[in-house]
Amino acid sequence: MDALNGARLLASMHVAATHLSRHKPPAVPAAYVLQWGFTWVPWFFMLSGYILAYSRYAKPPGAVRRDETVWSFIIARAAAIYPLYLFSVGLAFVFAWAQGSIHNVAPAALASQLFLAQSWLPTQTEHGLQAHCWFISAIIPFWMLHSRMVELTSRMDVRRLLSLMAAIAVVPWVISTAPTMVFGASPEWFSGHNWMATKGWRDIIVVMLKFHPLCYVHIYYFGVLLAALYVRLVIAGTIPWVIRNGAVLAYAGLALVFVFPEFRPPQPLLFCRIGGLAPLQGLLLLGLSYGNDPVAKALKHPVVVSFGKYSYCVYILQFICFNAWGGTSAGPGYWLFLLASSALAHHLIQVPFQTPKATLALLKLVAQAVLCCVVLLSFLPLDQRTAIIDADPPRKPLPAAIQYEDGVFDIRLQLVVRPEVEADMFGTWPDGAKGHSVINPTLALDPEDRSLVWVAARVHRKDRHVEKQPGTFPPKNRTVLQWYSKIAMAAVPTAAFQTQSPKIPVYPLELPLPKKYTSSGSDDHWVPCAPPTEHHSGNGTVTVTRSSGPEDPRIAFSKGDLVVTAFSYQPVHLRKSGKSGQEVAPLCANSKGYGRMYEARGKRGKWTKDALATEELGWAASGKDEQAIEKNWMQFENLGKTHYIRSLAPVFIILRKNERGKLEEVVRRQVPGLMLIREDKPDKRKWEVHGGSNAVLVEDREYGNFGRYYLATFHTVDKGKYRNYAFAFQAGRPFGILSVSSPLPLTQPKGSDGQAFLSGLAVVGVDGDPFGGKRVLLGYGMGDSESRVLSVPLHILEDWLFHGKQGEAHLDENPPKPKKAASSGKRAAAPAKQRKWEGAMLGEGKSKSSSSKSS
């Protein structure tokens, strides 16, 4: 049986490598074989049942303990796994706290996993620390049933054992194909689940199939049956050739599945997880137990056996060691570090605490600690408890200015609200200016003064509180998210985007209500309606979202006029709420279309509320392609007329026909590269594609036929994380997509990947710039905390766009890493030969050196 230790270590390493290949960015190459590490987790259940049953069957009848209770059996088994598991949860908690991600851990999930109950609770399984250790929770009930399983199996002959094993092998085929064949579900129904999602019945079912003990009891029993079969064959002295060479044959069969897509089983994520590979993995156990073929002999080598003892520690510590390693890639050094750490954990924690007495003491300590925390929290007011549990993570401040190679700068845009305008800006906000930030800057070059860039941004604050839900008995709480939002404007000299930005004062821009929403005059205050209440079926909680005004403006000039577009829920009038008498926005009346784009226009220099006119961009008013929320439209001017890119998947462009906001469709087409189907993962999850900045016309003869084009940006959303891209499209109808960049390298603090939101773009001329005469300014908000601008020479951005094949969308999940960053805001002298930014051009590798271009 010694060969099982080596095989267990290989399986643990395969699982760890698969997890790291799914890391963002991938810590190991995302090879096809690394898609299959998850298949060894059900094998661990089979292995446990096999070893425990074999140790029982192999004993003489007189050597079997009759006085051992179920409880003592469970505690004896748990003593080998719980102490190290508890230690790892504590370490993971420390790392999460240090990295500012502790807010992602649900308290209920943490409590359930401390008592090994997380796999029974679908709403908590994916929300705790060390989530990959769920199988420890799932195996406990199998140990409760183990004695009964062994007793039933001991009465069976070989034929009955084989028949029952064949029946179990059919179970995965039935479960994986029944939803599609019987209920007509999509073939991708299982892979469509997003991690930590528990909003609907499909999510709950998927989580149960992935983690619930009831979905693995047949695999554990398969291991018990295997042990009985092997003992019967050994006693009879008739070991078939297939078992004598079982390790070689099993690994060969598994290699076909893991290496060659042609042998990929149907619905592999579900099929293999619930035991679809049980016949091959069971044959592996039998072959390793016999230990006669070359693979089994190699795994029985004393060196391999000695390292095999660390397999459990390798599995438990894989993520902790990766965090401690501190890198973004797991090379040979990481694996040596993981093995060394596992050896220390084995000898210092797993073995010394491997006693029932120590395990019971740890369980009592955990129970006392959890009880103390619950009692202490119960004395705090409801809002303070919510603040402790749901607090946003602290972020380390980013450098004020960063200089990269080739004249690329990333600077903090220090937009500040001066005290003299605070009353106008924050007059209706509770606590005034406290806790506000200015985010998501959008940019527009002044058409009359090319040395000025106008900036419109969102002044923002998010409050969260818990209140009693009206009309519920017994009373229930609901979470209220209040988004305070104002639009602010500023004028910034173009030279300020090349060095560390000074403090730039912003001033409130009040948009008047569209005429259709005014009741008695122009003094009506803009109050968005409240979107539909969100009910979380997984945990029974309710979230209400409210906003105080228009959000995420876009600024442009059209025929000299200022044009500001913004998103808002449809305006309403405040109503008194319940017994408190507090005035709140009512729920949106139209559930099919409550979020709209609004556009305000005014003559130059007359940008007060009275001088502006606002129209609702009512594309959905016709009922065609109506959506609940219209957001992130991208404006551009063509032949003196205003156009909007309403969506990119499909590309949908509409024309503003008159000053009253009447719209007309002019382009609708699919661009395959922009459909963004993820091909590097087996679940083929789709990215959401949303608009970004307004589009700007670029005239640059350097690129021949592509020398006149529109430049704009968009972003994708995947599990709440943003990726931002630049793209170019034709300067005339049909406005075809010319090319798409790789994700733009926006600066983000560690632990906040995917929080940068690109909102603005302008192309400006900079006299005396040693890196080229034109620059692209990319304005973005970092989380909800600050505004920044990435300043890129135009010829560098064009390299990112047009370096590859035209007309293709070269999309990559991970942004390139800038080279030779420096915190200084001082400008460096231009190098003799400017090296293109490695890794930045459409997801390709290192590029050849090229001479500097001028735009």
Side-chain angles (χ1 to χ4, degrees):
M1 304 290 282
D2 288 343
L4 294 176
N5 279 336
R8 185 160 45 190
L9 177 63
L10 292 178
S12 295
M13 301 282 275
H14 192 186
V15 173
T18 294
H19 286 157
L20 293 176
S21 72
R22 296 175 179 176
H23 194 270
K24 293 184 178 181
V28 297
Y32 183 77
V33 68
L34 295 186
Q35 295 182 7
W36 300 93
F38 72 94
T39 61
W40 292 110
V41 177
W43 183 72
F44 292 149
F45 291 122
M46 186 191 304
L47 179 63
S48 178
Y50 179 81
I51 291 177
L52 293 176
Y54 179 84
S55 64
R56 176 77 172 271
Y57 291 135
K59 290 180 180 178
V64 177
R65 288 183 57 185
R66 301 295 181 184
D67 60 340
E68 186 178 38
T69 64
V70 172
W71 175 248
S72 62
F73 180 82
I74 293 174
I75 292 298
R77 306 285 80 73
I81 61 174
Y82 186 72
L84 180 62
Y85 165 73
L86 185 62
F87 174 76
S88 73
V89 171
L91 276 182
F93 186 90
V94 171
F95 276 113
W97 188 280
Q99 295 172 352
S101 58
I102 194 65
H103 70 293
N104 291 326
V105 181
L110 181 59
S112 67
Q113 68 179 149
L114 290 176
F115 296 103
L116 299 180
Q118 68 267 39
S119 64
W120 291 89
L121 305 171
T123 59
Q124 308 301 331
T125 312
E126 297 178 335
H127 292 73
L129 296 166
Q130 293 285 87
H132 66 289
C133 297
W134 63 271
F135 81 94
I136 300 174
S137 166
I139 206 169
I140 301 296
F142 304 158
W143 292 340
M144 295 176 63
L145 300 172
H146 181 77
S147 295
R148 184 60 178 163
M149 290 180 179
V150 170
E151 183 181 345
L152 289 173
T153 307
S154 62
R155 305 168 189 167
M156 300 179 186
D157 57 19
V158 171
R159 178 174 295 180
R160 191 172 179 186
L161 289 171
L162 290 172
S163 299
L164 193 52
M165 290 165 61
I168 291 176
V170 173
V171 170
W173 292 94
V174 175
I175 295 178
S176 61
T177 58
T180 302
M181 297 181 63
V182 178
F183 301 105
S186 167
E188 304 297 327
W189 73 272
F190 183 82
S191 60
H193 167 73
N194 289 330
W195 183 258
M196 299 178 72
T198 53
K199 293 183 178 180
W201 65 267
R202 187 184 69 173
D203 288 319
I204 298 297
I205 291 176
V206 170
V207 173
M208 290 186 67
L209 287 171
K210 289 174 66 176
F211 306 117
H212 203 281
L214 293 178
C215 298
Y216 294 93
V217 64
H218 65 290
I219 300 176
Y220 184 90
Y221 189 47
F222 193 90
V224 174
L225 294 170
L226 276 173
L229 175 65
Y230 183 69
V231 171
R232 300 281 195 284
L233 295 175
V234 170
I235 293 174
T238 56
I239 305 295
W241 177 89
V242 172
I243 293 178
R244 294 199 302 271
N245 297 276
V248 171
L249 295 175
Y251 274 129
L254 292 171
L256 289 176
V257 177
F258 295 168
V259 176
F260 300 103
E262 294 80 6
F263 292 92
R264 183 189 188 97
Q267 294 283 358
L269 289 176
L270 175 58
F271 176 77
C272 297
R273 185 174 287 276
I274 57 176
L277 299 180
L280 287 173
Q281 293 175 331
L283 178 61
L284 177 62
L285 288 180
L286 296 177
L288 293 173
S289 299
Y290 190 73
N292 191 52
D293 62 42
V295 172
K297 289 179 179 179
L299 293 175
K300 285 198 302 183
H301 191 280
V303 174
V304 178
V305 172
S306 64
F307 279 99
K309 294 184 298 183
Y310 309 143
S311 59
Y312 173 70
C313 301
V314 166
Y315 186 91
I316 295 296
L317 299 178
Q318 54 182 287
F319 288 116
I320 291 174
C321 286
F322 184 72
N323 284 328
W325 185 247
T328 57
S329 63
Y334 162 75
W335 296 103
L336 291 174
F337 176 66
L338 176 60
L339 282 174
S341 302
S342 300
L344 287 174
H346 175 78
H347 292 293
L348 298 180
I349 300 174
Q350 187 179 10
V351 173
F353 286 91
Q354 195 170 343
T355 64
K357 185 177 180 180
T359 301
L360 286 173
L362 287 173
L363 283 170
K364 290 178 182 178
L365 181 63
V366 168
Q368 293 167 359
V370 171
L371 181 61
C372 288
C373 291
V374 171
V375 171
L376 289 173
L377 285 173
S378 67
F379 284 103
L380 295 177
L382 187 61
D383 285 348
Q384 293 186 26
R385 293 205 303 268
T386 304
I388 292 174
I389 294 172
D390 297 331
D392 289 330
R395 291 193 179 101
K396 294 181 180 179
L398 294 171
I402 305 172
Q403 177 180 325
Y404 301 123
E405 285 188 341
D406 294 343
V408 178
F409 300 91
D410 192 299
I411 64 171
R412 181 185 300 136
L413 194 59
Q414 299 189 78
L415 303 175
V416 296
V417 180
R418 289 281 180 85
E420 59 266 26
V421 300
E422 284 188 359
D424 293 332
M425 189 76 77
F426 307 112
T428 59
W429 293 17
D431 301 325
K434 181 181 178 181
H436 81 276
S437 56
V438 185
I439 59 172
N440 302 349
T442 180
L443 314 170
L445 184 65
D446 192 311
E448 297 183 11
D449 184 354
R450 313 294 285 187
S451 66
L452 277 182
V453 173
W454 287 90
V455 178
R458 176 182 177 184
V459 183
H460 157 87
R461 188 177 83 204
K462 181 178 74 171
D463 290 349
R464 184 200 313 243
H465 69 274
V466 177
E467 63 183 24
K468 299 296 182 183
Q469 186 174 344
T472 59
F473 184 83
K476 294 183 179 180
N477 296 327
R478 67 181 181 185
T479 300
V480 178
L481 297 180
Q482 177 69 58
W483 300 85
Y484 294 100
S485 182
K486 284 271 191 176
I487 296 176
M489 284 187 60
V492 185
T494 55
F497 295 103
Q498 291 234 62
T499 59
Q500 184 169 331
S501 166
K503 290 185 177 180
I504 301 167
V506 296
Y507 301 91
L509 178 68
E510 289 284 344
L511 302 187
L513 281 173
K515 290 182 180 180
K516 62 185 286 188
Y517 294 110
T518 58
S519 57
S520 58
S522 60
D523 293 333
D524 284 349
H525 184 62
W526 193 308
V527 178
C529 62
T533 301
E534 186 176 3
H535 295 269
H536 307 284
S537 58
N539 54 19
T541 60
V542 174
T543 300
V544 177
T545 302
R546 296 175 183 146
S547 179
S548 70
E551 308 170 14
D552 296 336
R554 301 289 187 270
I555 187 172
F557 287 92
S558 176
K559 300 179 182 178
D561 293 348
L562 171 77
V563 180
V564 175
T565 54
F567 166 80
S568 176
Y569 301 120
Q570 289 182 318
V572 291
H573 296 283
L574 293 173
R575 297 177 185 173
K576 290 187 176 181
S577 172
K579 298 179 181 179
S580 66
Q582 179 185 5
E583 289 190 330
V584 298
L587 289 174
C588 301
N590 180 11
S591 61
K592 292 184 178 180
Y594 53 87
R596 288 288 173 264
M597 295 294 294
Y598 296 86
E599 184 175 271
R601 290 181 176 240
K603 297 297 182 183
R604 183 179 180 84
K606 298 180 179 180
W607 298 341
T608 63
K609 183 177 180 179
D610 294 337
L612 294 172
T614 305
E615 295 291 341
E616 182 179 84
L617 298 178
W619 173 254
S622 65
K624 187 177 182 180
D625 299 308
E626 188 171 19
Q627 297 184 22
I629 293 178
E630 295 285 344
K631 200 173 185 180
N632 297 314
W633 287 17
M634 297 175 282
Q635 179 192 342
F636 65 96
E637 298 290 314
N638 182 259
L639 300 179
K641 296 183 179 180
T642 301
H643 295 68
Y644 309 93
I645 302 176
R646 178 177 178 256
S647 70
L648 284 168
V651 174
F652 190 177
I653 300 177
I654 49 185
L655 166 69
R656 180 185 173 108
K657 294 200 68 176
N658 55 40
E659 297 302 316
R660 296 187 299 275
K662 183 175 177 60
L663 305 175
E664 175 185 289
E665 174 186 335
V666 293
V667 173
R668 183 197 293 262
R669 61 194 292 263
Q670 295 280 11
V671 178
L674 287 172
M675 298 314 293
L676 301 173
I677 304 292
R678 290 277 300 280
E679 298 293 349
D680 60 331
K681 301 267 181 138
D683 58 3
K684 298 189 183 296
R685 186 173 64 250
K686 290 184 179 180
W687 280 338
E688 297 178 35
V689 185
H690 299 284
S693 67
N694 287 337
V696 175
L697 183 64
V698 176
E699 298 195 54
D700 184 4
R701 300 303 176 187
E702 186 91 15
Y703 278 85
N705 293 333
F706 298 104
R708 191 171 187 273
Y709 60 90
Y710 284 104
L711 178 64
T713 66
F714 70 93
H715 69 271
T716 63
V717 184
D718 180 32
K719 295 184 178 180
K721 293 188 176 183
Y722 299 112
R723 295 288 183 270
N724 300 275
Y725 303 82
F727 73 101
F729 62 96
Q730 293 171 335
R733 293 191 185 183
F735 305 114
I737 304 294
L738 300 176
S739 194
V740 179
S741 74
S742 288
L744 296 169
L746 307 181
T747 303
Q748 303 180 73
K750 187 175 181 180
S752 298
D753 178 51
Q755 299 305 306
F757 177 84
L758 202 156
S759 49
L761 182 151
V763 179
V764 302
V766 180
D767 294 334
D769 186 353
F771 298 98
K774 290 184 180 180
R775 281 187 167 268
V776 180
L777 306 179
L778 300 166
Y780 67 98
M782 178 51 235
D784 291 332
S785 58
E786 65 177 282
S787 295
R788 299 189 70 88
V789 170
L790 182 67
S791 176
V792 187
L794 177 61
H795 69 85
I796 296 293
L797 189 67
E798 288 178 324
D799 281 344
W800 298 354
L801 280 168
F802 301 123
H803 183 77
K805 230 178 188 181
Q806 305 304 330
E808 291 187 3
H810 298 269
L811 297 165
D812 188 6
E813 180 178 355
N814 306 299
K817 291 186 177 179
K819 190 178 179 184
K820 293 184 180 178
S823 59
S824 170
K826 297 180 181 179
R827 293 171 57 182
K833 284 190 176 181
Q834 294 187 19
R835 292 187 298 275
K836 295 176 183 177
W837 199 348
E838 292 182 0
M841 290 167 287
L842 303 177
E844 299 187 6
K846 295 183 179 180
S847 60
K848 299 178 181 179
S849 299
S850 64
S851 300
S852 174
K853 302 176 189 176
S854 60
S855 298

